[in-house]
Amino acid sequence: MTNTDQTPDHTLLARAGEPREMPDAAIAMLDAEGIVVGWTHAAQQLVGYSAGEVVGRSAAHVLAPPDSERRASEFSEQCRAHGGWSGTAAIRHRDGQTLRMTLRVSLLRGRDAGIRWLVSVTDIGSLSSGATGEPVRESLLARAPIGIAVYDPQLRCVWVNDAMERHDGVPLHRRFGRGLKDSLPAVEAEALEVVMRQVLQSGTTTVHEYRAWPPADRPREHAFAASFFCLQGADGTPVGVCSMTVDVTGNRRARERLAILSEAGTHIGSTLDVMRTGQELAELAVPLLADHALVDLVESVPFGVEPSARTGTTSGRPPLLRRAGLASVDLGVLELPWVREEVVHAHPDSLFSAAMRTGRSYLEPVLDTHAGPWVDHDPVRAQKVRDSGVHSLMVVPIRARRCVLGLALFGRSMEQAPFQEDDLLLAEELVTRAALCLDNALQYARERTAALTLQRDLLPHRVQGGAAVEVASRYVPADLDHGVGGDWFDVIELSGARVALVVGDVVGHGINAAATMGRLRTAVRTLADLDLPPDELLAHLDDTVRRLNDEDADDSDEVPAVVGATCLYAVYDPVTRRCTMARAGHPPPLIVDAQGRVTIPDLPAGAPLGLGLGLVPFESVELDLPEGSVLAFYSDGLVESRDEDIDVGLRRLGAALAQPGASLEDLCSRAMETLPTQAPADDVTLLLARTRALRPAQVASWDLPDELVTVPTARHLAARQLRQWGLEPLVTPVESIVSELVTNAIRHGNGPSRLRLIQHRVLTCEVSDTNTGQPRPRHPRPLDEHGRGLYLVARLSRRWGSRCAADGKVVWAEQDLPSAAVAL
């Protein structure tokens, strides 16, 4: 770990260095003959004997079970031969019961070759309960080297074990009769002596952490945890202090790693911007882990495109990378050929390309910048690395779901210690967390792209009203991140120059509501092709919504597609200038006349779609609309809010639209400006339609008697009218169409028929009769004399169809106008 003087590390060490009490350890000190010479209060609690009952007596006679006393001498010889012992043993409690304990017997040396034995006893039951979580206890169980020293009441060293020298490098003979200041820095020694005096006065056990530089690893600072125990004599008074010291550098480094990882949880992935995430990773790594950090992403990642799992593995060429993050303790030292957001070209023989290709991390504790194929092929870059002073390097691939998204590079130049395996583990953990954030950002980008694509596909790309209306629209989703919602609008051109205007609202926002909206919009378009009256169309749409809900209800894990939806459907005829409309729980439209007067038609509300209220009929209302009237269709998000009543919103919208002569685009903009400045709580949709009227010269109609002899007359009338309009190229096909349609009307009707020609964007030929049955094309056999009429109509027209009328039906066919034709 680098930079141990940084704030997070220093804070951790300062907290760990504060003295803290812990439960007394069961410690006994024996002389060379096994006589107890020191006892602790915890030992009394563990085995029941007080210091007065044990000190001065043989430990084997007091603590060993009766059947084990004969083996005490053998145990003593074993300890002498091996310099100590550790394991489990049976200990006799004062009340006579036998306890299974873990023992560690350590050899202490004193002046003149004197020896003592320090016995540490731990109850196995307390181990299983988790009470021994302290570093010293962990080391006891792991048999790690423990430095042990015993000090007299004047804090002079009198007994010490061999391991203590490995901790601080002070030989045994230089310790005896001296204090801690002769073996530790003055600041640390003074702090430890204060703790030792407190232990002598209170009799409690205390743990204190300090720093030192062992001779075996002098360049690196180590952390030690020293546990101090008060040793009592026969009369219960303190006879000295025992210290047991353990190197807890690994524990401290683990805490430092946890601190860095904790920082990563709050500092990496603060946004869904992949480039920002890369910079956050680099900034966190410097200086806590490295002196320099670079983060390069596969070039497609910043654009929201996940790289292929085979990227860089088939062609042999490494993929292009884009620099996303750059941090250094001194940017002047690290002069790089590529700065942030530039494209990076990795050499095929470099560690970087190898990491991209294999997906494995690479640790170069000592970076050789004078050898290797990449140095030979890229000497300029190798010289830059040499000039930077980077001597140790880690390369970690950024992986997510079997794809390599990029690389993270960590280097050291000012910190002299090279990277080690635990540094690589920390780097990989940091990169893994960053990779998760990058993957989330990629998924967000994919979902947002899908949502925007869905929006473009579901909403009209370009609304046109044909010869019937001029239209303009606005759409503002409440889910601004994804750009889609549950509102929709549509303008559907119908036969006979008519147009259908529709606006709807699905409960909810976001991609799920948008998908449901798409299903309903498709259903409306399908029903509109049947040319149903508005009330009948809404009734069929209500059945469709309920079927969708029933299908989703079959899967208990799925939320119903449509909990509720509203819709307003209107059909405007520019020939008659009449508009027929019906609504299903949707707000009524506003009608603005040419003088700017705003009215709200008395239109029955109807029940929202999908609520199972199909018994309540929808009602259509027919209105006369003068040419130039503006119809305003909207969703409730435009006029409703939590802070005001809908009537207030309607008045505000009406005032914005009451601008005679203003263009529809300007009116839309004025209406949207009435919205509050903050993000809308609901989707907002506005569709404006200004009515047009066909001139009488664009329409010709004739009433025809119910006689077959009328067919030639109808053909003649149609041909004459086409010549008057300058549409001579259409005479022949239209004569055939009129002949077939009028013939069918006379044969299958029971009253007079009517022929009408309408010239607008196309030429429409309509024949109406009193028969309500809809025509169906047949597939005649070769010898059949009839049944080919509608087949001929379909071949001669751009499209054809039929619709219901108040007193029968209308069959129509359309012809494209010649390119040179101009409407009268």
Side-chain angles (χ1 to χ4, degrees):
M1 191 69 62
T2 69
N3 299 287
T4 54
D5 59 340
Q6 294 301 316
T7 301
D9 301 347
H10 182 74
T11 301
L12 283 170
L13 191 58
R15 291 177 180 173
E18 297 175 357
R20 59 185 186 272
E21 293 187 1
M22 61 173 287
D24 281 346
I27 300 292
M29 192 167 74
L30 315 179
D31 64 11
E33 305 302 326
I35 304 300
V36 179
V37 296
W39 195 248
T40 63
H41 180 67
Q44 176 181 345
Q45 290 182 325
L46 185 62
V47 297
Y49 293 101
S50 66
E53 295 174 300
V54 175
V55 175
R57 302 180 62 186
S58 170
H61 293 154
V62 176
L63 301 176
D67 59 345
S68 300
E69 292 184 14
R70 59 183 177 82
R71 293 187 299 176
S73 59
E74 298 176 4
F75 177 72
S76 300
E77 292 300 326
Q78 184 180 358
C79 289
R80 289 177 183 275
H82 296 89
W85 182 86
S86 63
T88 61
I91 300 295
R92 183 173 58 197
H93 193 273
R94 189 175 185 277
D95 60 10
Q97 64 175 317
T98 299
L99 307 176
R100 294 295 295 179
M101 302 287 182
T102 61
L103 266 67
R104 179 161 183 160
V105 182
S106 302
L107 175 65
L108 306 181
R109 304 183 188 277
R111 285 180 174 176
D112 303 326
I115 65 170
R116 289 286 187 272
W117 299 99
L118 192 79
V119 182
S120 303
V121 184
T122 306
D123 184 1
I124 293 178
S126 67
L127 295 179
S128 62
S129 65
T132 59
E134 294 295 331
V136 172
R137 298 297 183 84
E138 293 173 355
S139 298
L140 279 172
L141 299 178
R143 302 184 182 182
I146 300 176
I148 302 175
V150 177
Y151 301 86
D152 63 16
Q154 287 73 43
L155 304 185
R156 294 171 299 196
C157 182
V158 291
W159 303 98
V160 68
N161 72 342
D162 296 335
M164 200 66 195
E165 182 177 350
R166 294 196 292 272
H167 286 343
D168 54 23
V170 179
L172 298 182
H173 67 276
R174 288 182 50 190
R175 292 180 181 274
F176 299 130
R178 298 182 180 182
L180 288 171
K181 292 182 180 179
D182 296 311
S183 59
L184 291 175
V187 175
E188 301 290 356
E190 183 177 353
L192 291 177
E193 287 181 350
V194 170
V195 175
M196 293 167 69
R197 291 191 184 95
Q198 293 175 349
V199 171
L200 284 172
Q201 293 174 2
S202 64
T204 58
T205 299
T206 303
V207 177
H208 189 83
E209 288 190 14
Y210 65 93
R211 295 173 293 183
W213 288 261
D217 192 15
R218 183 65 66 183
R220 174 169 292 191
E221 176 188 271
H222 282 235
F224 293 91
S227 298
F228 297 97
F229 313 95
C230 180
L231 296 175
Q232 299 174 348
D235 57 357
T237 60
V239 295
V241 177
C242 173
S243 74
M244 301 178 69
T245 305
V246 180
D247 189 337
V248 294
T249 304
N251 290 357
R252 189 195 68 174
R253 290 171 64 80
R255 291 196 299 269
E256 292 171 351
R257 288 194 292 269
L258 288 175
I260 295 176
L261 294 177
S262 177
E263 290 285 317
T266 57
H267 288 83
I268 297 179
S270 60
T271 68
L272 290 172
D273 184 339
V274 294
M275 298 294 282
R276 179 59 193 161
T277 300
Q279 182 63 27
E280 289 170 345
L281 172 59
E283 291 175 351
L284 179 67
V286 176
L288 296 179
L289 175 63
D291 296 330
H292 317 284
L294 303 174
V295 179
D296 297 334
L297 300 176
V298 175
E299 190 180 21
S300 63
V301 171
F303 301 100
V305 180
E306 182 179 293
S308 169
R310 301 173 59 86
T311 296
T313 62
T314 54
S315 64
R317 296 190 303 271
L320 292 178
L321 303 173
R322 188 175 294 273
R323 182 134 297 160
L326 170 63
S328 174
V329 293
D330 185 357
L331 290 175
V333 172
L334 195 62
E335 294 185 1
L336 297 169
W338 299 291
V339 297
R340 191 166 182 264
E341 298 189 2
E342 284 192 355
V343 175
V344 178
H345 301 268
H347 194 275
D349 297 324
S350 65
L351 290 176
F352 321 129
S353 298
M356 289 292 298
R357 186 172 56 254
T358 63
R360 295 196 302 268
S361 301
Y362 289 88
L363 169 64
E364 292 289 326
V366 180
L367 181 63
D368 187 357
T369 59
H370 297 277
W374 72 280
V375 174
D376 298 335
H377 289 90
D378 199 350
V380 175
R381 194 179 310 176
Q383 185 60 46
K384 287 184 177 293
V385 175
R386 285 192 288 269
D387 294 342
S388 70
V390 173
H391 60 82
S392 189
L393 183 69
M394 294 186 296
V395 181
V396 182
I398 304 173
R399 296 176 56 87
R401 291 185 294 112
R402 296 179 298 176
C403 292
V404 178
L405 304 181
L407 295 173
L409 284 68
F410 306 96
R412 281 182 177 172
S413 59
M414 298 184 180
E415 168 64 40
Q416 296 304 311
F419 287 123
Q420 297 181 355
E421 288 293 337
D422 58 346
D423 296 314
L424 181 61
L425 291 175
L426 175 59
E428 288 177 335
E429 181 64 26
L430 285 177
V431 170
T432 297
R433 298 194 178 200
L436 179 60
C437 297
L438 289 171
D439 190 50
N440 289 338
L442 276 175
Q443 291 189 50
Y444 165 78
R446 286 194 299 270
E447 290 179 1
R448 187 172 189 275
T449 299
L452 293 176
T453 302
L454 181 65
Q455 178 193 26
R456 288 192 295 268
D457 290 343
L458 295 183
L459 293 177
H461 295 182
R462 185 165 56 102
V463 290
Q464 297 183 70
V469 292
E470 173 194 359
V471 292
S473 62
R474 293 292 187 273
Y475 175 72
V476 179
D479 187 356
L480 293 176
D481 289 335
H482 290 95
V484 292
D487 287 7
W488 90 92
F489 65 90
D490 211 344
V491 180
I492 308 169
E493 294 187 58
L494 304 176
S495 62
R498 297 169 306 127
V499 67
L501 305 168
V502 59
V503 63
D505 184 1
V506 174
V507 173
H509 341 288
I511 194 168
N512 291 331
T516 301
M517 170 267 286
R519 299 166 79 177
L520 295 188
R521 178 171 176 261
T522 301
V524 170
R525 277 192 161 262
T526 301
L527 294 172
D529 284 342
L530 299 177
D531 237 328
L532 299 174
D535 54 344
E536 292 185 27
L537 183 142
L538 291 180
H540 285 286
L541 186 62
D542 182 59
D543 289 338
T544 300
V545 171
R546 283 189 288 166
R547 281 197 302 272
L548 292 176
N549 285 340
D550 291 341
E551 291 172 3
D552 291 332
D554 292 339
D555 189 346
S556 58
D557 295 332
E558 293 290 335
V559 177
V562 188
V563 176
T566 63
C567 184
L568 171 62
Y569 185 82
V571 175
Y572 174 70
D573 188 343
V575 176
T576 62
R577 297 186 301 277
R578 297 186 67 80
C579 181
T580 305
M581 61 182 67
R583 61 183 177 130
H586 202 84
L590 299 185
I591 300 177
V592 186
D593 65 17
Q595 289 72 42
R597 291 187 295 268
V598 180
T599 58
I600 300 178
D602 185 12
L603 182 62
L609 303 171
L611 298 184
L613 302 179
L615 295 178
V616 180
F618 299 102
E619 297 184 46
S620 292
V621 171
E622 192 173 54
L623 306 173
D624 288 318
L625 294 180
E627 184 176 7
S629 300
V630 175
L631 285 165
F633 298 82
Y634 54 91
S635 62
D636 53 9
L638 184 59
V639 294
E640 287 185 358
S641 70
R642 299 186 182 94
D643 303 324
E644 61 185 19
D645 189 74
I646 187 173
D647 292 337
V648 177
L650 287 173
R651 287 194 295 270
R652 185 177 62 245
L653 175 60
L657 299 178
Q659 305 294 324
S663 69
L664 293 186
E665 290 293 335
D666 289 342
L667 291 179
C668 280
S669 298
R670 290 177 60 88
M672 301 309 289
E673 288 172 359
T674 64
L675 289 171
T677 55
Q678 65 270 22
D682 196 2
D683 303 325
V684 174
T685 300
L686 176 64
L687 173 65
L688 298 183
R690 177 173 281 135
T691 61
R692 294 168 175 162
L694 293 184
R695 290 180 295 233
Q698 293 178 261
V699 181
S701 62
W702 303 272
D703 292 324
L704 304 176
D706 188 17
E707 298 175 0
L708 287 177
V709 294
T710 305
V711 174
T713 303
R715 291 165 56 94
H716 172 73
L717 294 173
R720 186 180 63 184
Q721 185 62 55
L722 292 179
R723 292 187 180 95
Q724 290 179 3
W725 284 340
L727 302 178
E728 285 84 357
L730 300 182
V731 170
T732 300
V734 171
E735 282 184 326
S736 298
I737 291 173
V738 168
S739 177
E740 295 297 334
L741 296 184
V742 172
T743 299
N744 285 342
I746 295 174
R747 283 180 175 174
H748 302 290
N750 52 7
S753 57
R754 185 175 181 82
L755 170 65
R756 185 168 71 165
L757 299 180
I758 305 172
Q759 182 195 11
H760 49 108
R761 296 174 59 185
V762 295
L763 176 71
T764 302
C765 174
E766 297 181 347
V767 175
S768 57
D769 60 52
T770 57
N771 189 346
T772 58
Q774 299 297 318
R776 294 184 179 180
R778 293 175 53 188
H779 299 280
R781 293 185 294 271
L783 299 179
D784 289 348
E785 297 182 1
H786 303 286
R788 295 178 176 82
L790 293 180
Y791 174 78
L792 179 62
V793 171
R795 293 296 301 270
L796 294 175
S797 59
R798 65 189 298 269
R799 65 172 188 150
W800 75 278
S802 65
R803 65 176 184 270
C804 296
D807 54 355
K809 67 175 182 297
V810 177
V811 183
W812 53 269
E814 291 180 350
Q815 288 281 327
D816 288 319
L817 296 177
S819 57
V822 178
L824 296 178

